[in-house]
């Protein structure tokens, strides 16, 4: 993988995606967003991967969007090339077919918290801080901070971060449900691998379907999730096999209602 961007390392059923721009505390620019989208494609193409870990290189998980990357954009460029594109990439990450664990080895601020929020499980090191400081810059969260994070964490805690500018320690974040586990400094990835190993022993089809069902229950990506579930079910039926065979053989299908 490239030295900068999002690196993917696969070890058996576990893939590790590492956001790699340590000199900028893993802040995102457009190339980083494109690299993240490519990393999602990479792990989903590996049939043997059952769980993915997302972490950052160096001292930070992610400081969010690089101000220098978007600060000089026109309003149109900012809305379309930055916010909408970034939103699509983070949605891609959130809807990976396999469970995603965020190993927060450093601060997760702004877009960094939105990145962590795309994960199913968050394991944080004790020294980190979490927040959504966008309004201090005169801007708003743009990569689903007011949407996915509200659905996953609740509206009030997001209000406190967005409107009040509150920052939370790892322990406070645990109490508010923003993270699922707090571990010692330097051990987030190891703890995530331990949790990932537990997930990897479970049925991969059941995990994928359960993740889709949970997304529906949480009001996330309902249309795509329902259609994916329906398509998976229909793909296993005798009727579909008959329909495809009839099309190929140029004859009328003889459906028997076979599941």
């Amino acid at each position: 993988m490239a030295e900068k961007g999002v690196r993917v390392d696969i070890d058996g059923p576990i893939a590790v995606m590492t956001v790699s721009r340590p000199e900028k505390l893993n802040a995102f620019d457009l190339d980083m967003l494109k690299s993240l989208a490519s990393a999602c494609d990479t792990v989903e193409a590996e049939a043997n991967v059952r769980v993915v870990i997302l972490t950052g290189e160096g001292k930070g998980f992610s400081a969010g969007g690089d101000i220098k990357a978007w600060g000089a954009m026109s309003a149109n460029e900012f809305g379309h090339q930055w916010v909408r594109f970034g939103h699509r990439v983070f949605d891609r990450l959130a809807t990976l077919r396999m469970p995603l664990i965020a190993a927060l080895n450093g601060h997760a601020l702004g877009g960094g918290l939105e990145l962590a929020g795309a994960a199913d499980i968050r394991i944080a090191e004790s020294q980190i801080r979490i927040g959504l400081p966008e309004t201090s810059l005169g801007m708003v969260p743009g990569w689903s901070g007011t949407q996915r994070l509200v659905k996953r964490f609740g509206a009030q805690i997001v209000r406190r971060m967005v409107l009040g500018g509150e920052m939370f320690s790892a322990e406070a974040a645990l109490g508010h449900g923003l993270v699922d586990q707090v571990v010692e400094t330097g051990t987030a990835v190891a703890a995530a691998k331990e949790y990932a190993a537990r997930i990897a022993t479970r049925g991969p089809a059941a995990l994928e379907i359960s993740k889709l069902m949970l997304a529906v229950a949480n009001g996330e990506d309902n249309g795509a999730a329902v259609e994916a579930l329906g398509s998976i079910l229909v793909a296993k039926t005798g009727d579909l096999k008959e329909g495809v065979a009839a099309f190929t053989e140029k004859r009328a299908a003889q459906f028997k209602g076979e599941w």
Side-chain angles (χ1 to χ4, degrees), residues 106-228:
H107 300 332
L109 304 173
L113 180 53
E114 291 167 316
L115 180 69
D120 300 293
I121 302 291
R122 280 159 291 281
I123 298 175
E125 293 183 3
S126 59
Q127 82 282 3
I128 76 158
R129 293 181 69 79
I130 280 175
L132 293 168
E134 285 91 341
T135 54
S136 68
L137 297 172
M139 66 178 294
V140 298
W143 292 339
S144 214
T146 63
Q147 306 300 309
R148 181 179 298 112
L149 298 195
V150 167
K151 291 173 181 175
R152 296 195 172 187
F153 303 142
Q156 193 57 31
I157 195 64
V158 176
R159 283 191 183 98
R160 289 172 61 181
M161 290 188 286
V162 174
L163 305 181
E166 292 188 48
M167 295 279 185
F168 296 103
S169 67
E171 286 294 341
L174 179 65
H176 290 299
L178 296 168
V179 302
D180 302 289
Q181 184 180 351
V182 176
V183 297
E184 294 180 1
T185 298
T187 65
V189 173
K193 286 182 177 180
E194 183 177 343
Y195 200 103
R198 182 196 317 178
I199 291 175
T201 65
R202 309 177 87 81
L207 288 170
E208 181 176 353
I209 291 171
S210 294
K211 182 169 177 174
L212 286 169
M213 292 168 68
L214 288 165
V216 172
N218 207 39
E220 298 180 43
D221 198 32
N222 283 355
V226 169
E227 290 186 352

